[in-house]
Amino acid sequence: MTTNTRNNISNNTPLWMCLHFTKLPLEVFLRSNTSEENAGDHAVVIDKKQPVVITEKQRVFHMNDMAKEVGIQIGNSMDTTYTFSNNVLCFERDDDRETSTLAHLAQWAYQFTPKVSIRSPDCLLLDIGGCLKLFKGLNNLIVSIEQGLHKLGYQALIATNTTPLSALIIARAHATNLIHTDHDKLENSIGQLSVQNLQAEEKIIIALKQMGITNLHTLLGLPAEGISRRLGTYFNDYLLRLKGEKADPQKIINPNARFLSSINFLFDITNLNSLIFPIKRLLGELSDFLKGRQLTINHFTWHLSHRKSPYSDSLHKKHFKKTFSISLASPINETRVFLALTQLKLDQINDVKEVDSITLIANRFYPLSADSKSLFRDSYTPSRDFNEHNSEHNDQLLNILNAKLGSGQYFGLSQSDDHRPEKAWKKVNLSKKHHWSPEKQDSLLRPSFLLTTPKALAMSGDMPHLAGQLTLLKGPERIDYGWWDETENKPLTRDYYIASQKDGTLYWIFKYITMDQWYLHGIFS
C-alpha cells in the first residue's frame, strides 16, 4: 500500500491496529542493551555477540539472533544448548514480567488512542479509526509508534485491518502484507492465511484440514449454516466477528494511568553510581509517558532487586532488596528534578551489595495545568513572576528536605481558626499545604513573642507591675471563647491590653475578669 493511500483514509472507516511484540520474552530482560557511543559513563554495555536464550521448563523457548547463528533451536534442552556455545546466557521465562510489561505498553499506547485492548501474551489492539486526522494519516501514526517503541527498547510487528480479529491474525501470522484499510477487501487480505492461524481449538483445526480446508479463502467461502452445524455455533460466531459481520466489542484498558517500567542487567551492579544511566533512561520514559498523557506526579517509587537474593525461593525469582520513594512538594514533570532527588536518596543507601534489576513505579497522577501567559507585553506583572519564582524556590527546598530527611520529619506553621492566642496557630504538613487564613484580615496588633504559659504579674492596687508599674496604652480587647475544651473551673473571659514599661518595652497583658488577676502573655519586638 502506498503512503498516499495510507494517508487518505476516511475518519468514518473502522480501522484496527495490532502491535505484535514478537521478542517480548527476550526484551523484558535485554531491552537495556545500549551501544558504547550513547551509553554514557555508567552504562551497562552488553555484548551483542553473546547468545541469550529464554527457557521454559528447562527447554529453550526464545532466543536472540546470535543464539540462532550458533545453531541453538527452540525446544533444545540446556545440555544441548551448551554444546553449541559455553558462553550462552540463560533466563527463565518470567510470565509476570511479560504481563506487567504488556500492561505498561498498553498505558503508553493510550497517548495515541483511548481504545487500547490487551491480547495476551504478546499483542495490543488499538482502535485507530478516530485518530488518523490527528496524526495526519496512517503512515505518520505508524512512524510515531515505531519511533516511540524503539526509544523504549521494544520492537513490534504492526498490522492493520478493519476488524480487530483480522488485524490480530495478520500480525501473528507474520503475513507478507501487513497493512490493510479497505473493508470491502477484508476477506482477500486474510484469504491466503493458513487455518492454523485461527484462534480456535486444535480439534477444529484438525477437522478443517481433514475436510481439505487449509486456508481462510476456502473457509470463508463456505455457508455459515454448514459451519455452525459441523463445527459449532461458537466457531461460526468467531468467523462472523473476524469478517466484521457481527459486533466484536473489545475489553478496553482502564483509563486510569499507571506507570511501571523495569531494566534488567545481564551482570550484577556492585557500584550504585553505575545505576545513574539506567535511572536516567527510566525517568526519561516516565517524562515521555507524562507528556503523552498530559499528567504530572508528586510521588514515585524505585525498587532495586537481585534474582539471587537469599530471600528468594528460586534462582530466578525476584526479591525487592531495597525500596525507596521520592515525594515532591507539588506535582511536576521535570526529569532534572526527579534525577537530582533520586541521586540524593541513592547516596544514603549503604546496605545494597549487588543489583541486577531496577524498577520505577508511579501511581499518583495529576492533570497538567498549563500556565496562562499574557497576550500583551504591556500587561506584564513583575509581582506575579516574583510569586511564581518564590513558590518554585519553596518547592525546591521542600523536595530536598523530603529526600534528605524523609517525609514527616519537618513541619510548617499556619494560622488556626481559634480566637485564643495560644491556639491561634497550628503545625501543618507542608506537602499537603493545608494552611488556613481568615477570610478577612483584622487590624488587631499581636506580639512577635508569645509565652507558652501566661505569667502572673504582681499588682499595686488594681494596676499590673513588672519591674515597675505598667502603663496601659491600648485596650481592652475581650476574648471570651473555648468553653467546650477548657477545664471546668478555668476562667474564660480575658481583657487584653498593650502596656509599656518606663524604658519603652511593650507588653501584651490580660486580666481574667472573674479572678481580678493580671497576666503577661506576649512581648512586642
Side-chain angles (χ1 to χ4, degrees):
M1 175 175 289
T2 65
T3 299
N4 288 336
T5 306
R6 288 185 181 184
N7 291 336
N8 292 325
I9 304 170
S10 169
N11 283 337
N12 297 323
T13 303
L15 193 61
W16 286 82
M17 175 183 288
C18 179
L19 306 182
H20 184 201
F21 297 92
T22 57
K23 299 181 179 180
L24 188 62
L26 198 63
E27 287 170 337
V28 296
F29 294 105
L30 296 186
R31 78 183 186 94
S32 59
N33 191 358
T34 56
S35 61
E36 299 265 5
E37 54 271 17
N38 64 9
D41 295 335
H42 300 294
V44 181
V45 180
I46 300 168
D47 186 358
K48 293 183 178 180
K49 295 183 179 180
Q50 182 173 17
V52 183
V53 299
I54 307 298
T55 62
E56 189 173 45
K57 297 179 181 178
Q58 302 300 314
R59 296 281 176 177
V60 175
F61 171 78
H62 204 94
M63 70 187 89
N64 67 353
D65 293 336
M66 193 60 204
K68 293 178 183 177
E69 289 184 17
V70 300
I72 300 173
Q73 296 181 355
I74 300 297
N76 285 158
S77 66
M78 286 310 299
D79 290 337
T80 303
T81 299
Y82 284 121
T83 63
F84 291 103
S85 173
N86 59 6
N87 192 35
V88 174
L89 189 63
C90 170
F91 289 95
E92 180 71 15
R93 186 182 184 189
D94 193 333
D95 294 315
D96 292 340
R97 190 173 292 277
E98 289 177 36
T99 301
S100 65
T101 298
L102 198 61
H104 168 63
L105 290 169
Q107 288 282 342
W108 170 83
Y110 192 86
Q111 64 184 297
F112 301 105
T113 171
K115 296 180 180 178
V116 181
S117 178
I118 298 175
R119 283 302 183 100
S120 296
D122 53 11
C123 286
L124 295 178
L125 285 172
L126 282 64
D127 182 356
I128 60 172
C131 67
L132 295 179
K133 187 175 181 180
L134 175 64
F135 292 93
K136 299 180 181 178
L138 178 58
N139 193 61
N140 290 334
L141 176 60
I142 291 175
V143 170
S144 297
I145 291 175
E146 287 177 337
Q147 290 176 345
L149 289 175
H150 178 73
K151 188 175 180 180
L152 293 174
Y154 298 99
Q155 295 180 22
L157 200 65
I158 299 179
T160 64
N161 216 325
T162 54
T163 67
L165 289 178
S166 60
L168 183 66
I169 65 169
I170 287 176
R172 283 183 169 164
H174 297 193
T176 305
N177 188 1
L178 296 169
I179 307 301
H180 301 274
T181 60
D182 190 345
H183 188 68
D184 294 334
K185 298 179 180 179
L186 185 145
E187 292 189 23
N188 290 335
S189 68
I190 60 176
Q192 298 305 312
L193 298 181
S194 168
V195 293
Q196 197 70 42
N197 298 123
L198 295 172
Q199 291 181 296
E201 297 178 23
E202 187 62 27
K203 63 180 182 180
I204 292 179
I205 303 299
I206 294 173
L208 289 171
K209 290 181 178 179
Q210 289 175 345
M211 290 186 286
I213 302 171
T214 58
N215 59 49
L216 297 190
H217 178 75
T218 305
L219 175 61
L220 298 179
L222 298 176
E225 295 80 5
I227 294 176
S228 182
R229 186 172 60 254
R230 290 192 171 196
L231 301 173
T233 304
Y234 182 81
F235 181 66
N236 182 58
D237 180 79
Y238 167 74
L239 293 180
L240 293 175
R241 289 184 286 118
L242 175 66
K243 294 185 293 182
E245 295 178 4
K246 185 174 182 179
D248 187 17
Q250 301 296 306
K251 184 179 180 181
I252 304 303
I253 64 169
N254 190 325
N256 295 331
R258 185 173 190 269
F259 181 90
L260 186 153
S261 188
S262 301
I263 289 181
N264 297 273
F265 311 114
L266 297 187
F267 308 100
D268 294 342
I269 306 301
T270 56
N271 182 357
L272 293 187
N273 287 330
S274 298
L275 294 175
I276 296 302
F277 179 77
I279 283 174
K280 285 182 180 178
R281 178 170 179 173
L282 288 175
L283 288 175
E285 291 180 14
L286 174 61
S287 181
D288 290 342
F289 175 85
L290 295 174
K291 194 180 300 180
R293 298 287 294 267
Q294 295 290 288
L295 297 171
T296 56
I297 57 170
N298 66 356
H299 184 274
F300 57 91
T301 301
W302 290 101
H303 291 303
L304 309 180
S305 56
H306 193 276
R307 77 171 70 85
K308 297 177 184 176
S309 166
Y311 304 101
S312 300
D313 296 327
S314 63
L315 179 64
H316 296 282
K317 183 178 178 181
K318 292 290 181 183
H319 172 78
F320 289 144
K321 294 188 68 175
K322 193 68 178 181
T323 298
F324 62 93
S325 297
I326 305 295
S327 296
L328 299 144
S330 57
I332 58 172
N333 177 16
E334 294 185 25
T335 306
R336 175 183 56 83
V337 176
F338 297 161
L339 178 62
L341 298 177
T342 300
Q343 286 181 288
L344 282 175
K345 282 287 191 180
L346 274 181
D347 292 341
Q348 300 171 15
I349 297 175
N350 53 22
D351 57 348
V352 174
K353 303 304 179 185
E354 47 188 16
V355 174
D356 71 356
S357 176
I358 182 169
T359 301
L360 174 59
I361 300 175
N363 292 320
R364 304 179 196 170
F365 298 93
Y366 300 86
L368 176 65
S369 57
D371 293 332
S372 179
K373 301 298 183 182
S374 173
L375 180 62
F376 304 103
R377 289 176 179 261
D378 294 342
S379 60
Y380 169 75
T381 53
S383 60
R384 176 180 174 182
D385 275 7
F386 174 79
N387 290 335
E388 290 177 354
H389 174 76
N390 194 42
S391 176
E392 181 180 346
H393 180 76
N394 291 340
D395 284 351
Q396 289 176 359
L397 175 61
L398 295 180
N399 289 338
I400 294 173
L401 288 174
N402 264 329
K404 288 192 171 184
L405 303 179
S407 180
Q409 300 303 311
Y410 57 92
F411 60 87
L413 297 177
S414 168
Q415 295 184 74
S416 180
D417 190 11
D418 197 306
H419 293 289
R420 290 166 291 183
E422 66 274 16
K423 296 187 177 183
W425 62 276
K426 63 179 180 180
K427 294 180 181 180
V428 294
N429 185 327
L430 292 176
S431 62
K432 295 182 179 179
K433 299 181 180 179
H434 53 283
H435 297 77
W436 178 87
S437 59
E439 294 181 3
K440 182 180 180 181
Q441 296 290 342
D442 57 47
S443 58
L444 298 173
L445 291 177
R446 290 291 183 264
S448 302
F449 178 75
L450 199 69
L451 276 67
T452 305
T453 303
K455 178 183 177 182
L457 295 174
M459 297 174 60
S460 175
D462 194 37
M463 297 302 294
H465 272 242
L466 181 62
Q469 183 172 312
L470 297 176
T471 302
L472 304 182
L473 300 179
K474 187 176 181 179
E477 174 195 340
R478 176 159 293 188
I479 296 178
D480 189 358
Y481 189 82
W483 56 267
W484 52 87
D485 61 1
E486 296 287 7
T487 57
E488 183 176 351
N489 297 322
K490 184 175 180 179
L492 296 177
T493 307
R494 316 175 194 173
D495 280 348
Y496 277 87
Y497 295 83
I498 297 176
S500 69
Q501 274 185 330
K502 291 181 180 180
D503 63 2
T505 303
L506 297 179
Y507 296 101
W508 202 40
I509 64 175
F510 71 87
K511 184 179 184 181
Y512 274 128
I513 302 302
T514 57
M515 295 175 57
D516 199 25
Q517 173 64 50
W518 290 92
Y519 288 85
L520 172 65
H521 204 171
I523 304 172
F524 288 90
S525 60

